Amino acid sequence: MVATDETHNLIAGDKVSGTNVYNTTGDKIGSIYDVMIDKRSGKVAYAVMSFGGFLGMGEDYHPLPWSTLNYDTGMGGYVVPMSREQLEGGPHYGTKDTPQWDRDYETRVHDYYKTPYYWS
């Protein structure tokens, strides 16, 4: 039987959701809410991290370029090379908001995290 949720190198999107996100000092700073996949290339473009709030109230969503995350098997989660304060200052939206996922918005996300923007 073929594994449908995880192999040595692959993981299903629904299994990524809920995975903890840590900073480089090992502090849990949020969790993956969802992933955004580029329709043309099929590559994961962003992880949308839920951040802040308590029991889902006051929570914000922070799109992180996928290249900013590194999976740490020992921690069982993703590590981002930034502080809580840096993430708080980054592009984000509330639970009742719908961001405009256009080139301008995506460029702002990539500019903030200083990662290359390479989608057409």
Side-chain angles (χ1 to χ4, degrees):
M1 177 172 209
V2 175
T4 58
D5 62 352
E6 189 169 5
T7 68
H8 180 70
N9 291 319
L10 302 173
I11 189 166
D14 65 343
K15 193 163 182 185
V16 173
S17 296
T19 301
N20 290 334
V21 178
Y22 302 92
N23 62 17
T24 54
T25 59
D27 301 318
K28 180 185 174 206
I29 53 177
S31 62
I32 303 296
Y33 174 74
D34 211 342
V35 292
M36 302 296 288
I37 300 169
D38 181 73
K39 289 180 180 180
R40 292 186 177 104
S41 71
K43 294 180 181 180
V44 176
Y46 304 96
V48 179
M49 182 181 73
S50 60
F51 183 59
F54 181 70
L55 298 175
M57 305 224 4
E59 189 171 62
D60 283 332
Y61 298 116
H62 294 250
L64 302 172
W66 189 251
S67 62
T68 64
L69 291 99
N70 291 304
Y71 190 77
D72 184 309
T73 56
M75 296 182 89
Y78 293 95
V79 177
V80 293
M82 55 202 81
S83 68
R84 176 178 291 278
E85 292 76 21
Q86 287 172 305
L87 289 167
E88 287 172 346
H92 62 280
Y93 55 96
T95 56
K96 295 182 180 181
D97 300 326
T98 303
Q100 187 70 28
W101 286 97
D102 59 10
R103 183 177 277 289
D104 289 337
Y105 184 74
E106 292 177 356
T107 299
R108 280 190 319 217
V109 170
H110 284 271
D111 286 350
Y112 183 82
Y113 293 110
K114 297 175 178 61
T115 59
Y117 181 85
Y118 44 90
W119 284 271
S120 53

